Amino acid sequence: MIKRSVYIALLLLAAVAVVVADFLAPRHDVHFFWDNFPGWSALYGFISCIAIIFISKFLGHQFGLMHKIDYYENNDSHKADKKKEKNSQSEINSHGETAKTSQQPPAAKDAKGGDE
């Protein structure tokens, strides 16, 4: 499996390649003064992408489009299943005390091997 540092290095290499390519490309239609800055298009695209991500996350949280992580664990059928599973693992007597169903070790014998 490729390490995280390799992915980061490849991402940085791609970013540098985009900026270098911007130096090499001729600029024919310059409408604004910032269009002359090398790397402006790459920087503008990166900032726009980050803005889209944060705005969509904000809208998703504010308008209920995103669910909580435990969304599926909060429904009633899941709670009922958990309760059934818990009851099947331990028996409850009439006094509300949990009876021990696990295997208990046999009673200790004295040194002679007899039960006393």
Short mmCIF file of all heavy atoms in Angstrom, two decimals, residues 27-89:
data_model
loop_
_atom_site.label_atom_id
_atom_site.label_comp_id
_atom_site.label_asym_id
_atom_site.label_seq_id
_atom_site.Cartn_x
_atom_site.Cartn_y
_atom_site.Cartn_z
N ARG A 27 -0.46 34.06 -23.31
CA ARG A 27 -1.69 34.72 -22.87
C ARG A 27 -2.19 35.61 -24.01
O ARG A 27 -1.61 36.65 -24.31
CB ARG A 27 -1.43 35.55 -21.63
CG ARG A 27 -0.91 34.72 -20.49
CD ARG A 27 -0.70 35.58 -19.27
NE ARG A 27 0.02 34.87 -18.27
CZ ARG A 27 -0.49 33.91 -17.50
NH1 ARG A 27 -1.73 33.57 -17.64
NH2 ARG A 27 0.25 33.30 -16.62
N HIS A 28 -3.29 35.20 -24.62
CA HIS A 28 -3.82 35.95 -25.75
C HIS A 28 -4.89 36.96 -25.32
O HIS A 28 -4.86 38.10 -25.74
CB HIS A 28 -4.43 34.99 -26.79
CG HIS A 28 -3.43 34.08 -27.38
ND1 HIS A 28 -2.43 34.52 -28.23
CD2 HIS A 28 -3.24 32.74 -27.26
CE1 HIS A 28 -1.68 33.49 -28.61
NE2 HIS A 28 -2.16 32.40 -28.02
N ASP A 29 -5.82 36.51 -24.49
CA ASP A 29 -6.93 37.38 -24.08
C ASP A 29 -6.78 37.74 -22.61
O ASP A 29 -7.17 37.00 -21.73
CB ASP A 29 -8.27 36.67 -24.29
CG ASP A 29 -8.54 36.37 -25.75
OD1 ASP A 29 -8.10 37.18 -26.59
OD2 ASP A 29 -9.18 35.35 -26.04
N VAL A 30 -6.21 38.90 -22.37
CA VAL A 30 -6.04 39.40 -21.01
C VAL A 30 -7.06 40.50 -20.80
O VAL A 30 -6.98 41.56 -21.42
CB VAL A 30 -4.60 39.91 -20.77
CG1 VAL A 30 -4.46 40.49 -19.39
CG2 VAL A 30 -3.61 38.81 -21.01
N HIS A 31 -8.05 40.21 -19.93
CA HIS A 31 -9.11 41.19 -19.68
C HIS A 31 -8.86 41.99 -18.40
O HIS A 31 -9.25 43.14 -18.31
CB HIS A 31 -10.46 40.50 -19.61
CG HIS A 31 -10.86 39.83 -20.88
ND1 HIS A 31 -11.25 40.53 -22.00
CD2 HIS A 31 -10.90 38.52 -21.22
CE1 HIS A 31 -11.53 39.68 -22.97
NE2 HIS A 31 -11.33 38.45 -22.52
N PHE A 32 -8.24 41.38 -17.42
CA PHE A 32 -8.01 42.03 -16.13
C PHE A 32 -6.52 41.96 -15.80
O PHE A 32 -5.81 41.09 -16.31
CB PHE A 32 -8.83 41.35 -15.03
CG PHE A 32 -10.30 41.33 -15.33
CD1 PHE A 32 -10.91 40.16 -15.77
CD2 PHE A 32 -11.07 42.47 -15.17
CE1 PHE A 32 -12.26 40.13 -16.04
CE2 PHE A 32 -12.42 42.44 -15.44
CZ PHE A 32 -13.02 41.28 -15.88
N PHE A 33 -6.05 42.84 -14.94
CA PHE A 33 -4.62 42.88 -14.64
C PHE A 33 -4.13 41.61 -13.95
O PHE A 33 -2.99 41.21 -14.11
CB PHE A 33 -4.27 44.12 -13.80
CG PHE A 33 -4.76 44.07 -12.39
CD1 PHE A 33 -3.95 43.56 -11.38
CD2 PHE A 33 -6.02 44.53 -12.06
CE1 PHE A 33 -4.39 43.51 -10.08
CE2 PHE A 33 -6.46 44.50 -10.76
CZ PHE A 33 -5.65 43.99 -9.76
N TRP A 34 -5.00 40.95 -13.19
CA TRP A 34 -4.56 39.74 -12.48
C TRP A 34 -4.42 38.54 -13.42
O TRP A 34 -3.81 37.55 -13.07
CB TRP A 34 -5.48 39.40 -11.32
CG TRP A 34 -6.94 39.27 -11.68
CD1 TRP A 34 -7.54 38.23 -12.29
CD2 TRP A 34 -7.94 40.24 -11.46
NE1 TRP A 34 -8.86 38.47 -12.47
CE2 TRP A 34 -9.14 39.72 -11.96
CE3 TRP A 34 -7.96 41.51 -10.90
CZ2 TRP A 34 -10.34 40.40 -11.91
CZ3 TRP A 34 -9.16 42.18 -10.84
CH2 TRP A 34 -10.32 41.64 -11.35
N ASP A 35 -4.96 38.63 -14.62
CA ASP A 35 -4.78 37.56 -15.60
C ASP A 35 -3.33 37.44 -16.06
O ASP A 35 -2.95 36.42 -16.63
CB ASP A 35 -5.68 37.80 -16.81
CG ASP A 35 -7.14 37.53 -16.52
OD1 ASP A 35 -7.42 36.78 -15.56
OD2 ASP A 35 -8.00 38.08 -17.24
N ASN A 36 -2.52 38.47 -15.84
CA ASN A 36 -1.11 38.43 -16.22
C ASN A 36 -0.24 37.69 -15.21
O ASN A 36 0.89 37.34 -15.50
CB ASN A 36 -0.56 39.84 -16.41
CG ASN A 36 -1.02 40.46 -17.70
OD1 ASN A 36 -1.16 39.77 -18.70
ND2 ASN A 36 -1.29 41.75 -17.67
N PHE A 37 -0.74 37.46 -14.00
CA PHE A 37 0.07 36.80 -12.97
C PHE A 37 0.17 35.31 -13.26
O PHE A 37 -0.84 34.63 -13.45
CB PHE A 37 -0.54 36.99 -11.58
CG PHE A 37 -0.61 38.42 -11.13
CD1 PHE A 37 -1.72 38.89 -10.46
CD2 PHE A 37 0.44 39.29 -11.34
CE1 PHE A 37 -1.80 40.19 -10.01
CE2 PHE A 37 0.38 40.61 -10.92
CZ PHE A 37 -0.74 41.06 -10.25
N PRO A 38 1.40 34.80 -13.29
CA PRO A 38 1.56 33.35 -13.50
C PRO A 38 0.99 32.58 -12.31
O PRO A 38 1.20 32.91 -11.17
CB PRO A 38 3.06 33.15 -13.59
CG PRO A 38 3.65 34.50 -13.78
CD PRO A 38 2.67 35.48 -13.23
N GLY A 39 0.25 31.53 -12.61
CA GLY A 39 -0.34 30.71 -11.56
C GLY A 39 -1.67 31.21 -11.06
O GLY A 39 -2.29 30.60 -10.19
N TRP A 40 -2.15 32.35 -11.58
CA TRP A 40 -3.41 32.91 -11.12
C TRP A 40 -4.58 31.96 -11.38
O TRP A 40 -5.43 31.74 -10.52
CB TRP A 40 -3.70 34.26 -11.77
CG TRP A 40 -5.12 34.69 -11.58
CD1 TRP A 40 -6.09 34.73 -12.52
CD2 TRP A 40 -5.73 35.08 -10.35
NE1 TRP A 40 -7.26 35.14 -11.96
CE2 TRP A 40 -7.07 35.36 -10.62
CE3 TRP A 40 -5.28 35.23 -9.05
CZ2 TRP A 40 -7.96 35.78 -9.64
CZ3 TRP A 40 -6.16 35.64 -8.07
CH2 TRP A 40 -7.50 35.92 -8.37
N SER A 41 -4.62 31.35 -12.54
CA SER A 41 -5.73 30.45 -12.88
C SER A 41 -5.76 29.24 -11.96
O SER A 41 -6.83 28.82 -11.50
CB SER A 41 -5.61 29.98 -14.33
OG SER A 41 -5.65 31.09 -15.20
N ALA A 42 -4.59 28.69 -11.66
CA ALA A 42 -4.52 27.53 -10.76
C ALA A 42 -4.95 27.93 -9.35
O ALA A 42 -5.70 27.20 -8.69
CB ALA A 42 -3.12 26.96 -10.75
N LEU A 43 -4.48 29.06 -8.87
CA LEU A 43 -4.83 29.52 -7.54
C LEU A 43 -6.33 29.82 -7.45
O LEU A 43 -7.00 29.44 -6.48
CB LEU A 43 -4.02 30.77 -7.18
CG LEU A 43 -4.28 31.36 -5.80
CD1 LEU A 43 -3.85 30.37 -4.72
CD2 LEU A 43 -3.54 32.68 -5.64
N TYR A 44 -6.87 30.48 -8.46
CA TYR A 44 -8.29 30.80 -8.49
C TYR A 44 -9.14 29.52 -8.51
O TYR A 44 -10.13 29.41 -7.79
CB TYR A 44 -8.61 31.67 -9.71
CG TYR A 44 -10.06 32.06 -9.81
CD1 TYR A 44 -10.60 33.00 -8.95
CD2 TYR A 44 -10.87 31.48 -10.77
CE1 TYR A 44 -11.93 33.37 -9.04
CE2 TYR A 44 -12.20 31.83 -10.87
CZ TYR A 44 -12.73 32.77 -10.00
OH TYR A 44 -14.04 33.12 -10.09
N GLY A 45 -8.73 28.56 -9.28
CA GLY A 45 -9.46 27.28 -9.34
C GLY A 45 -9.41 26.54 -8.01
O GLY A 45 -10.42 25.97 -7.57
N PHE A 46 -8.25 26.56 -7.36
CA PHE A 46 -8.11 25.87 -6.07
C PHE A 46 -8.98 26.55 -5.01
O PHE A 46 -9.70 25.87 -4.27
CB PHE A 46 -6.64 25.88 -5.63
CG PHE A 46 -6.41 25.22 -4.31
CD1 PHE A 46 -6.48 23.85 -4.18
CD2 PHE A 46 -6.12 25.98 -3.19
CE1 PHE A 46 -6.27 23.24 -2.96
CE2 PHE A 46 -5.91 25.39 -1.96
CZ PHE A 46 -5.99 24.02 -1.85
N ILE A 47 -8.94 27.87 -4.94
CA ILE A 47 -9.74 28.60 -3.94
C ILE A 47 -11.23 28.39 -4.22
O ILE A 47 -12.03 28.22 -3.29
CB ILE A 47 -9.35 30.10 -3.94
CG1 ILE A 47 -7.94 30.25 -3.38
CG2 ILE A 47 -10.35 30.92 -3.14
CD1 ILE A 47 -7.38 31.65 -3.50
N SER A 48 -11.61 28.38 -5.49
CA SER A 48 -13.01 28.16 -5.84
C SER A 48 -13.48 26.76 -5.42
O SER A 48 -14.59 26.59 -4.91
CB SER A 48 -13.23 28.33 -7.34
OG SER A 48 -12.90 29.64 -7.72
N CYS A 49 -12.64 25.78 -5.62
CA CYS A 49 -12.98 24.40 -5.23
C CYS A 49 -13.17 24.29 -3.72
O CYS A 49 -14.12 23.67 -3.24
CB CYS A 49 -11.89 23.45 -5.72
SG CYS A 49 -12.22 21.73 -5.36
N ILE A 50 -12.25 24.88 -2.96
CA ILE A 50 -12.36 24.86 -1.50
C ILE A 50 -13.63 25.59 -1.06
O ILE A 50 -14.34 25.14 -0.16
CB ILE A 50 -11.11 25.50 -0.85
CG1 ILE A 50 -9.86 24.70 -1.20
CG2 ILE A 50 -11.26 25.65 0.64
CD1 ILE A 50 -9.87 23.28 -0.68
N ALA A 51 -13.96 26.71 -1.70
CA ALA A 51 -15.17 27.46 -1.35
C ALA A 51 -16.42 26.63 -1.62
O ALA A 51 -17.36 26.63 -0.81
CB ALA A 51 -15.22 28.78 -2.13
N ILE A 52 -16.45 25.92 -2.74
CA ILE A 52 -17.60 25.08 -3.05
C ILE A 52 -17.78 24.00 -1.99
O ILE A 52 -18.91 23.71 -1.56
CB ILE A 52 -17.45 24.45 -4.46
CG1 ILE A 52 -17.63 25.51 -5.53
CG2 ILE A 52 -18.42 23.31 -4.67
CD1 ILE A 52 -17.28 25.05 -6.92
N ILE A 53 -16.69 23.39 -1.55
CA ILE A 53 -16.78 22.34 -0.53
C ILE A 53 -17.34 22.89 0.78
O ILE A 53 -18.27 22.33 1.37
CB ILE A 53 -15.40 21.70 -0.30
CG1 ILE A 53 -14.99 20.89 -1.54
CG2 ILE A 53 -15.41 20.81 0.94
CD1 ILE A 53 -13.56 20.42 -1.52
N PHE A 54 -16.80 24.02 1.25
CA PHE A 54 -17.26 24.57 2.53
C PHE A 54 -18.70 25.10 2.44
O PHE A 54 -19.48 24.91 3.38
CB PHE A 54 -16.32 25.66 3.02
CG PHE A 54 -15.08 25.11 3.65
CD1 PHE A 54 -13.84 25.29 3.05
CD2 PHE A 54 -15.13 24.41 4.84
CE1 PHE A 54 -12.69 24.78 3.62
CE2 PHE A 54 -13.99 23.90 5.42
CZ PHE A 54 -12.77 24.08 4.81
N ILE A 55 -19.06 25.72 1.34
CA ILE A 55 -20.43 26.22 1.19
C ILE A 55 -21.42 25.07 1.14
O ILE A 55 -22.48 25.11 1.77
CB ILE A 55 -20.54 27.12 -0.06
CG1 ILE A 55 -19.78 28.42 0.18
CG2 ILE A 55 -21.99 27.41 -0.40
CD1 ILE A 55 -19.61 29.28 -1.06
N SER A 56 -21.09 23.99 0.42
CA SER A 56 -22.01 22.86 0.34
C SER A 56 -22.15 22.16 1.68
O SER A 56 -23.24 21.71 2.05
CB SER A 56 -21.57 21.87 -0.74
OG SER A 56 -20.31 21.33 -0.42
N LYS A 57 -21.05 22.05 2.45
CA LYS A 57 -21.15 21.47 3.79
C LYS A 57 -22.01 22.34 4.70
O LYS A 57 -22.82 21.83 5.48
CB LYS A 57 -19.76 21.26 4.39
CG LYS A 57 -19.00 20.10 3.76
CD LYS A 57 -17.67 19.89 4.40
CE LYS A 57 -17.76 19.34 5.77
NZ LYS A 57 -17.85 17.91 5.89
N PHE A 58 -21.84 23.65 4.62
CA PHE A 58 -22.64 24.56 5.43
C PHE A 58 -24.12 24.41 5.10
O PHE A 58 -24.97 24.29 5.98
CB PHE A 58 -22.18 26.00 5.19
CG PHE A 58 -23.08 27.03 5.81
CD1 PHE A 58 -23.05 27.27 7.17
CD2 PHE A 58 -23.96 27.75 5.02
CE1 PHE A 58 -23.88 28.21 7.74
CE2 PHE A 58 -24.80 28.69 5.58
CZ PHE A 58 -24.76 28.92 6.95
N LEU A 59 -24.45 24.42 3.79
CA LEU A 59 -25.84 24.28 3.39
C LEU A 59 -26.41 22.92 3.78
O LEU A 59 -27.57 22.81 4.19
CB LEU A 59 -25.98 24.50 1.88
CG LEU A 59 -25.69 25.91 1.38
CD1 LEU A 59 -25.74 25.96 -0.13
CD2 LEU A 59 -26.68 26.90 1.98
N GLY A 60 -25.60 21.89 3.67
CA GLY A 60 -26.05 20.56 4.06
C GLY A 60 -26.38 20.46 5.53
O GLY A 60 -27.37 19.83 5.92
N HIS A 61 -25.58 21.08 6.36
CA HIS A 61 -25.84 21.05 7.80
C HIS A 61 -27.01 21.96 8.18
O HIS A 61 -27.82 21.62 9.04
CB HIS A 61 -24.60 21.47 8.59
CG HIS A 61 -23.53 20.43 8.61
ND1 HIS A 61 -23.67 19.22 9.25
CD2 HIS A 61 -22.29 20.41 8.05
CE1 HIS A 61 -22.58 18.50 9.10
NE2 HIS A 61 -21.72 19.20 8.37
N GLN A 62 -27.12 23.12 7.57
CA GLN A 62 -28.15 24.08 7.93
C GLN A 62 -29.54 23.65 7.49
O GLN A 62 -30.52 23.92 8.17
CB GLN A 62 -27.84 25.46 7.32
CG GLN A 62 -26.64 26.13 7.94
CD GLN A 62 -26.84 26.37 9.43
OE1 GLN A 62 -27.88 26.79 9.88
NE2 GLN A 62 -25.81 26.07 10.20
N PHE A 63 -29.67 22.99 6.36
CA PHE A 63 -30.98 22.64 5.82
C PHE A 63 -31.30 21.15 5.98
O PHE A 63 -32.23 20.65 5.36
CB PHE A 63 -31.08 23.06 4.36
CG PHE A 63 -31.00 24.54 4.19
CD1 PHE A 63 -29.89 25.13 3.62
CD2 PHE A 63 -32.03 25.36 4.64
CE1 PHE A 63 -29.81 26.50 3.47
CE2 PHE A 63 -31.96 26.73 4.50
CZ PHE A 63 -30.85 27.31 3.92
N GLY A 64 -30.53 20.45 6.79
CA GLY A 64 -30.85 19.06 7.10
C GLY A 64 -30.61 18.09 5.97
O GLY A 64 -31.20 17.01 5.95
N LEU A 65 -29.77 18.43 5.02
CA LEU A 65 -29.49 17.52 3.91
C LEU A 65 -28.52 16.42 4.31
O LEU A 65 -28.51 15.36 3.71
CB LEU A 65 -28.93 18.31 2.72
CG LEU A 65 -29.84 19.39 2.16
CD1 LEU A 65 -29.10 20.18 1.10
CD2 LEU A 65 -31.11 18.79 1.62
N MET A 66 -27.71 16.69 5.32
CA MET A 66 -26.74 15.70 5.79
C MET A 66 -27.27 15.05 7.07
O MET A 66 -27.89 15.70 7.89
CB MET A 66 -25.39 16.37 6.06
CG MET A 66 -24.77 16.97 4.81
SD MET A 66 -23.24 17.83 5.15
CE MET A 66 -22.17 16.46 5.48
N HIS A 67 -27.00 13.76 7.23
CA HIS A 67 -27.43 13.04 8.42
C HIS A 67 -26.27 12.90 9.39
O HIS A 67 -25.11 12.93 8.98
CB HIS A 67 -27.94 11.66 8.05
CG HIS A 67 -29.16 11.68 7.19
ND1 HIS A 67 -30.38 12.11 7.65
CD2 HIS A 67 -29.35 11.35 5.90
CE1 HIS A 67 -31.27 12.02 6.68
NE2 HIS A 67 -30.66 11.58 5.60
N LYS A 68 -26.61 12.70 10.64
CA LYS A 68 -25.57 12.45 11.63
C LYS A 68 -24.94 11.10 11.35
O LYS A 68 -25.52 10.24 10.68
CB LYS A 68 -26.17 12.46 13.04
CG LYS A 68 -26.70 13.81 13.44
CD LYS A 68 -27.28 13.75 14.83
CE LYS A 68 -27.85 15.10 15.22
NZ LYS A 68 -28.49 15.06 16.53
N ILE A 69 -23.77 10.86 11.92
CA ILE A 69 -23.05 9.61 11.69
C ILE A 69 -23.86 8.43 12.21
O ILE A 69 -23.90 7.38 11.60
CB ILE A 69 -21.66 9.66 12.36
CG1 ILE A 69 -20.80 10.70 11.66
CG2 ILE A 69 -20.99 8.30 12.34
CD1 ILE A 69 -19.47 10.94 12.33
N ASP A 70 -24.54 8.59 13.34
CA ASP A 70 -25.30 7.49 13.92
C ASP A 70 -26.78 7.53 13.50
O ASP A 70 -27.65 7.09 14.23
CB ASP A 70 -25.17 7.52 15.44
CG ASP A 70 -25.72 8.80 16.05
OD1 ASP A 70 -25.96 9.76 15.30
OD2 ASP A 70 -25.89 8.83 17.28
N TYR A 71 -27.05 8.03 12.32
CA TYR A 71 -28.42 8.18 11.84
C TYR A 71 -29.17 6.85 11.85
O TYR A 71 -30.30 6.77 12.30
CB TYR A 71 -28.40 8.76 10.42
CG TYR A 71 -29.76 8.80 9.76
CD1 TYR A 71 -30.69 9.76 10.13
CD2 TYR A 71 -30.12 7.88 8.78
CE1 TYR A 71 -31.93 9.81 9.53
CE2 TYR A 71 -31.35 7.92 8.19
CZ TYR A 71 -32.25 8.89 8.56
OH TYR A 71 -33.48 8.94 7.97
N TYR A 72 -28.55 5.80 11.38
CA TYR A 72 -29.22 4.51 11.29
C TYR A 72 -29.29 3.79 12.64
O TYR A 72 -30.04 2.86 12.79
CB TYR A 72 -28.53 3.62 10.26
CG TYR A 72 -28.70 4.16 8.86
CD1 TYR A 72 -27.64 4.78 8.22
CD2 TYR A 72 -29.91 4.09 8.21
CE1 TYR A 72 -27.80 5.30 6.94
CE2 TYR A 72 -30.07 4.61 6.94
CZ TYR A 72 -29.02 5.20 6.32
OH TYR A 72 -29.18 5.71 5.05
N GLU A 73 -28.51 4.22 13.60
CA GLU A 73 -28.53 3.59 14.92
C GLU A 73 -29.62 4.18 15.81
O GLU A 73 -29.90 3.64 16.86
CB GLU A 73 -27.17 3.74 15.59
CG GLU A 73 -26.09 2.98 14.86
CD GLU A 73 -24.73 3.19 15.48
OE1 GLU A 73 -24.64 3.87 16.49
OE2 GLU A 73 -23.77 2.65 14.92
N ASN A 74 -30.25 5.27 15.42
CA ASN A 74 -31.25 5.91 16.26
C ASN A 74 -32.67 5.44 15.99
O ASN A 74 -33.58 5.84 16.69
CB ASN A 74 -31.19 7.44 16.07
CG ASN A 74 -29.98 8.03 16.75
OD1 ASN A 74 -29.46 7.46 17.69
ND2 ASN A 74 -29.54 9.16 16.27
N ASN A 75 -32.88 4.59 15.01
CA ASN A 75 -34.26 4.18 14.74
C ASN A 75 -34.72 3.16 15.78
O ASN A 75 -33.95 2.48 16.42
CB ASN A 75 -34.44 3.67 13.31
CG ASN A 75 -33.59 2.45 13.03
OD1 ASN A 75 -33.15 1.77 13.93
ND2 ASN A 75 -33.38 2.17 11.76
N ASP A 76 -36.04 3.03 15.95
CA ASP A 76 -36.60 2.19 17.00
C ASP A 76 -36.36 0.71 16.78
O ASP A 76 -36.18 -0.04 17.72
CB ASP A 76 -38.10 2.45 17.12
CG ASP A 76 -38.38 3.86 17.62
OD1 ASP A 76 -37.51 4.40 18.33
OD2 ASP A 76 -39.45 4.41 17.30
N SER A 77 -36.38 0.25 15.54
CA SER A 77 -36.20 -1.18 15.29
C SER A 77 -34.79 -1.61 15.69
O SER A 77 -34.60 -2.72 16.17
CB SER A 77 -36.45 -1.51 13.82
OG SER A 77 -35.50 -0.86 13.00
N HIS A 78 -33.82 -0.73 15.51
CA HIS A 78 -32.45 -1.06 15.92
C HIS A 78 -32.37 -1.18 17.43
O HIS A 78 -31.73 -2.08 17.96
CB HIS A 78 -31.48 0.00 15.41
CG HIS A 78 -30.06 -0.30 15.71
ND1 HIS A 78 -29.37 -1.30 15.07
CD2 HIS A 78 -29.19 0.26 16.59
CE1 HIS A 78 -28.14 -1.35 15.55
NE2 HIS A 78 -28.01 -0.40 16.46
N LYS A 79 -33.05 -0.28 18.16
CA LYS A 79 -33.05 -0.35 19.62
C LYS A 79 -33.74 -1.61 20.10
O LYS A 79 -33.30 -2.25 21.05
CB LYS A 79 -33.73 0.89 20.20
CG LYS A 79 -32.93 2.15 20.03
CD LYS A 79 -33.67 3.33 20.61
CE LYS A 79 -32.89 4.62 20.39
NZ LYS A 79 -33.63 5.78 20.89
N ALA A 80 -34.82 -2.00 19.44
CA ALA A 80 -35.53 -3.21 19.82
C ALA A 80 -34.65 -4.43 19.59
O ALA A 80 -34.64 -5.36 20.41
CB ALA A 80 -36.83 -3.33 19.04
N ASP A 81 -33.92 -4.46 18.49
CA ASP A 81 -33.02 -5.58 18.22
C ASP A 81 -31.93 -5.67 19.28
O ASP A 81 -31.58 -6.76 19.72
CB ASP A 81 -32.38 -5.44 16.83
CG ASP A 81 -33.38 -5.62 15.71
OD1 ASP A 81 -34.47 -6.19 15.96
OD2 ASP A 81 -33.08 -5.18 14.57
N LYS A 82 -31.37 -4.53 19.68
CA LYS A 82 -30.34 -4.52 20.71
C LYS A 82 -30.90 -5.04 22.03
O LYS A 82 -30.25 -5.76 22.75
CB LYS A 82 -29.77 -3.11 20.91
CG LYS A 82 -28.87 -2.66 19.81
CD LYS A 82 -27.56 -3.37 19.91
CE LYS A 82 -26.57 -2.76 18.96
NZ LYS A 82 -25.30 -3.43 18.98
N LYS A 83 -32.15 -4.64 22.35
CA LYS A 83 -32.77 -5.07 23.60
C LYS A 83 -33.01 -6.58 23.59
O LYS A 83 -32.76 -7.26 24.57
CB LYS A 83 -34.09 -4.32 23.80
CG LYS A 83 -34.67 -4.48 25.16
CD LYS A 83 -35.88 -3.58 25.33
CE LYS A 83 -36.39 -3.64 26.75
NZ LYS A 83 -37.53 -2.76 26.94
N LYS A 84 -33.48 -7.11 22.45
CA LYS A 84 -33.69 -8.56 22.35
C LYS A 84 -32.38 -9.31 22.50
O LYS A 84 -32.31 -10.34 23.15
CB LYS A 84 -34.32 -8.90 20.99
CG LYS A 84 -35.77 -8.52 20.88
CD LYS A 84 -36.29 -8.88 19.51
CE LYS A 84 -37.70 -8.40 19.30
NZ LYS A 84 -38.19 -8.67 17.95
N GLU A 85 -31.33 -8.78 21.89
CA GLU A 85 -30.03 -9.42 21.97
C GLU A 85 -29.52 -9.43 23.41
O GLU A 85 -29.00 -10.42 23.89
CB GLU A 85 -29.04 -8.68 21.07
CG GLU A 85 -27.66 -9.28 21.04
CD GLU A 85 -26.73 -8.50 20.13
OE1 GLU A 85 -27.18 -8.06 19.05
OE2 GLU A 85 -25.57 -8.34 20.51
N LYS A 86 -29.73 -8.34 24.11
CA LYS A 86 -29.28 -8.25 25.50
C LYS A 86 -30.05 -9.22 26.36
O LYS A 86 -29.48 -9.89 27.22
CB LYS A 86 -29.45 -6.81 26.00
CG LYS A 86 -28.96 -6.61 27.40
CD LYS A 86 -29.13 -5.17 27.83
CE LYS A 86 -28.64 -4.98 29.26
NZ LYS A 86 -28.84 -3.60 29.71
N ASN A 87 -31.37 -9.33 26.16
CA ASN A 87 -32.19 -10.24 26.95
C ASN A 87 -31.86 -11.69 26.66
O ASN A 87 -31.99 -12.54 27.53
CB ASN A 87 -33.67 -9.98 26.71
CG ASN A 87 -34.13 -8.70 27.36
OD1 ASN A 87 -33.47 -8.19 28.27
ND2 ASN A 87 -35.23 -8.14 26.89
N SER A 88 -31.47 -12.01 25.45
CA SER A 88 -31.14 -13.39 25.12
C SER A 88 -29.81 -13.81 25.73
O SER A 88 -29.58 -14.98 25.98
CB SER A 88 -31.11 -13.60 23.62
OG SER A 88 -30.02 -12.90 23.06
N GLN A 89 -28.94 -12.87 26.01
CA GLN A 89 -27.65 -13.19 26.59
C GLN A 89 -27.73 -13.41 28.10
O GLN A 89 -26.92 -14.12 28.67
CB GLN A 89 -26.63 -12.08 26.28
CG GLN A 89 -26.25 -12.03 24.82
CD GLN A 89 -25.31 -10.88 24.52
OE1 GLN A 89 -25.04 -10.07 25.38
NE2 GLN A 89 -24.84 -10.81 23.29
#
